[in-house]
């Protein structure tokens, strides 16, 4: 069963479109050579049209883009050299589109290698058919075309990687926002934030710590990748102690970067544990609410000497904003629940909460009797 064109990937659509256009362009040449009874030219055009048609059919029925992209490039290279050998130098100008297309169809290194062989063999096959001026000019044009195609290919690959990274980050952000919108537990949202940061920063380990109700201690909220013994040590840390990076980040309300944990004075009480956990550097980002108060910190650890780049800082700042939204949403939900279930004057449970507890008790009692 074939896949509908609307359900295919962009790579499949492009390759299918390229093969169709190539067949439409080459078919008139094939028909012309048949009517002119030019058997050699007919053979070359027939191989080209037939090979591209096979590629189209293969992509249409199997969707194996990489395999048939490579086959298309190889068929084009071999066929054009075969055509130049049989027909002559008239076909040498077909090298230009083949050189350009090969950087899309093949990995960059393989495309460079095949294009170099293509130009070299084409030059050997046609050097007697051009004068001393024309052949070097054509070969130089082919080389320049290859260089510019290479540069453009590298540029587009970099742009594609950047777009892919942005799409990935957007997807992660959307997933976290969906958790927040669906009123998921704060612990689940924070775990998703940690997972998102660690996926985007290679070899990073992350933790999120939140201020308790007194505002004097940091409570560990999420740190799935850090060792249990280290998590125990950084849970319930007193802000006044100034231990580590997070306490300083909370106190000053700004980013704190420690490139070498072992040599930083604030890390002396935890240096042996950090060394045991293979934590070499760390930076902490404060989570600040829209009123300007610090809610907690996100700490990013690395197993090597490291300082964050501007891109890494921008990435973490996006996750910090999501964390702030999640915390504020959780606080708002708790306030709404408390106001709906407790009397504002006496702070005692109201009729609504009493009715809810009675209903649950009756349900449990019925369940016990039925068993």
């Amino acid at each position: 069963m074939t896949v509908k064109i609307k359900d295919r990937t962009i790579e499949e659509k492009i390759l299918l479109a390229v093969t169709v256009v190539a067949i439409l362009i080459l078919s008139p040449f094939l028909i012309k050579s048949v009517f002119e009874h030019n058997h050699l030219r007919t053979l070359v055009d027939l191989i080209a049209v037939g090979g591209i048609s096979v590629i189209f059919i293969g992509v249409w029925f199997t969707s194996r883009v990489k395999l048939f992209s490579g086959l298309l490039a190889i068929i084009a290279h071999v066929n054009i050299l075969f055509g130049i050998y049989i027909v002559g130098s008239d076909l040498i100008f077909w090298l230009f589109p083949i050189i350009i297309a090969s950087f899309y169809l093949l990995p960059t290194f393989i495309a460079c290698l095949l294009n170099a062989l293509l130009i070299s063999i084409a030059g050997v096959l046609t050097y007697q058919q051009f004068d001393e001026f024309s052949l070097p000019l054509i070969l130089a044009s082919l080389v320049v075309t290859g260089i510019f195609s290479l540069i453009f290919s590298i540029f587009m690959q970099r742009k594609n990687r950047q777009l892919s990274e942005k799409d990935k980050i957007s997807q992660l952000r959307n997933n976290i926002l969906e958790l927040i919108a669906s009123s998921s537990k704060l612990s689940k949202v924070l775990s998703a934030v940690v997972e998102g940061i660690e996926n985007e920063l290679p070899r990073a380990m992350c933790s999120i710590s939140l201020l308790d109700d007194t505002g004097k201690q940091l409570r560990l909220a999420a740190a799935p990748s850090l060792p249990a013994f280290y998590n125990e040590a950084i849970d319930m840390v007193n802000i006044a102690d100034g231990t580590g990076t997070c306490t300083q980040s909370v106190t000053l309300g700004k980013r704190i970067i420690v490139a070498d944990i072992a040599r930083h004075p604030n890390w002396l009480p935890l240096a042996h544990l950090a060394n045991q956990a293979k934590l070499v550097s760390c930076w902490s980002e404060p989570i600040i609410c829209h009123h300007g108060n610090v809610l907690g910190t996100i700490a990013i650890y690395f197993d090597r000497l490291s300082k964050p780049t501007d891109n890494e800082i921008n990435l973490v700042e996006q996750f910090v904003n999501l964390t702030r939204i999640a915390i504020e949403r959780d606080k708002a939900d708790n306030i709404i629940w408390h106001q709906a279930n407790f009397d504002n004057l006496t702070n005692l449970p109201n009729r609504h909460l009493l009715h809810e507890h009675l209903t649950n008790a009756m349900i449990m009692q019925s369940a016990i009797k039925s068993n």
Side-chain angles (χ1 to χ4, degrees):
M1 182 177 179
T2 59
V3 181
K4 294 181 179 179
I5 192 68
K6 66 178 182 179
D7 298 327
R8 294 181 181 271
T9 64
I10 187 64
E11 290 82 5
E12 289 179 64
K13 292 178 181 178
I14 291 175
L15 188 56
L16 290 171
V18 168
T19 52
V20 168
V21 171
I23 292 171
L24 292 175
I25 291 174
L26 294 174
S27 294
F29 292 98
L30 174 60
I31 296 171
K32 181 182 177 183
S33 60
V34 170
F35 280 106
E36 291 178 351
H37 301 288
N38 189 336
H39 301 298
L40 292 178
R41 191 65 177 261
T42 300
L43 178 61
V44 172
D45 293 339
L46 184 61
I47 293 174
V49 173
I52 296 173
S53 299
V54 170
I55 299 297
F56 176 86
I57 294 171
V59 175
W60 183 266
F61 286 101
T62 68
S63 299
R64 300 179 66 178
V65 176
K66 290 186 177 180
L67 172 63
F68 287 103
S69 293
L71 288 177
L72 178 59
I74 293 173
I75 288 174
H77 281 69
V78 173
N79 189 72
I80 193 63
L81 291 175
F82 179 66
I84 291 173
Y85 176 74
I86 293 177
V87 178
S89 60
D90 293 343
L91 299 180
I92 197 169
F93 295 102
W94 282 101
L95 269 63
F96 289 99
I98 291 175
I99 289 173
I100 296 171
S102 63
F103 283 101
Y104 170 78
L105 299 171
L106 295 168
T108 302
F109 176 76
I110 297 177
C112 290
L113 182 62
L114 287 181
N115 286 338
L117 290 173
L118 179 67
I119 295 171
S120 301
I121 296 173
V124 172
L125 294 176
T126 60
Y127 78 97
Q128 292 181 338
Q129 302 174 36
F130 290 100
D131 55 43
E132 296 180 356
F133 176 77
S134 298
L135 182 60
L137 183 62
I138 292 173
L139 294 179
S141 300
L142 293 170
V143 171
V144 170
T145 300
I147 292 173
F148 276 101
S149 299
L150 172 61
I151 295 172
F152 183 73
S153 174
I154 294 173
F155 172 78
M156 290 305 299
Q157 288 176 9
R158 185 173 299 174
K159 284 293 182 183
N160 288 337
R161 282 196 297 269
Q162 292 175 352
L163 290 174
S164 178
E165 290 173 359
K166 288 181 179 179
D167 288 342
K168 188 176 180 181
I169 294 172
S170 297
Q171 185 61 47
L172 288 171
R173 182 170 59 244
N174 291 338
N175 292 340
I176 295 171
L177 287 173
E178 287 178 5
L179 291 175
I180 297 172
S182 61
S183 297
S184 298
K185 289 185 178 181
L186 182 60
S187 58
K188 184 176 181 180
V189 179
L190 297 183
S191 295
V193 171
V194 170
E195 182 181 354
I197 295 175
E198 292 178 346
N199 284 338
E200 293 303 310
L201 299 181
R203 297 169 62 182
M205 290 173 283
C206 179
S207 70
I208 298 179
S209 298
L210 303 180
L211 279 173
D212 64 2
D213 295 335
T214 66
K216 296 180 179 180
Q217 285 187 331
L218 277 173
R219 298 297 307 271
L220 186 64
S225 299
L226 291 169
F229 68 86
Y230 185 80
N231 288 342
E232 292 178 5
I234 63 174
D235 190 17
M236 298 182 64
V237 175
N238 292 322
I239 302 298
D241 293 344
T243 302
T245 307
C246 293
T247 55
Q248 191 177 3
S249 178
V250 169
T251 303
L252 300 178
K254 66 178 184 179
R255 179 185 308 117
I256 302 297
I257 300 172
V258 175
D260 189 354
I261 290 175
R263 298 187 178 185
H264 198 277
N266 287 10
W267 276 92
L268 289 178
L270 294 174
H272 65 290
L273 292 176
N275 181 61
Q276 187 178 349
K278 298 181 180 180
L279 306 178
V280 178
S281 61
C282 171
W283 101 76
S284 296
E285 287 282 344
I287 306 167
I288 303 175
C289 71
H290 64 281
H291 293 301
N293 299 321
V294 178
L295 303 174
T297 65
I298 295 181
I300 299 94
Y301 302 88
F302 292 92
D303 59 359
R304 63 190 185 281
L305 293 174
S306 174
K307 287 187 177 181
T309 64
D310 291 340
N311 289 336
E312 290 174 339
I313 290 174
N314 291 334
L315 173 69
V316 173
E317 285 178 345
Q318 295 181 45
F319 285 102
V320 168
N321 289 331
L322 291 174
T323 306
R324 173 185 60 79
I325 294 171
I327 296 171
E328 291 182 336
R329 173 64 182 268
D330 184 70
K331 288 180 179 292
D333 288 344
N334 290 334
I335 291 173
I336 293 171
W337 183 86
H338 189 274
Q339 290 176 346
N341 293 282
F342 287 82
D343 183 76
N344 291 331
L345 182 61
T346 64
N347 204 32
L348 294 174
N350 60 17
R351 183 181 300 176
H352 178 270
L353 186 60
L354 176 62
H355 183 268
E356 183 179 339
H357 283 311
L358 286 174
T359 302
N360 290 335
M362 292 173 65
I363 292 173
M364 291 179 64
Q365 187 67 25
S366 300
I368 293 173
K369 288 182 178 181
S370 62
N371 291 334

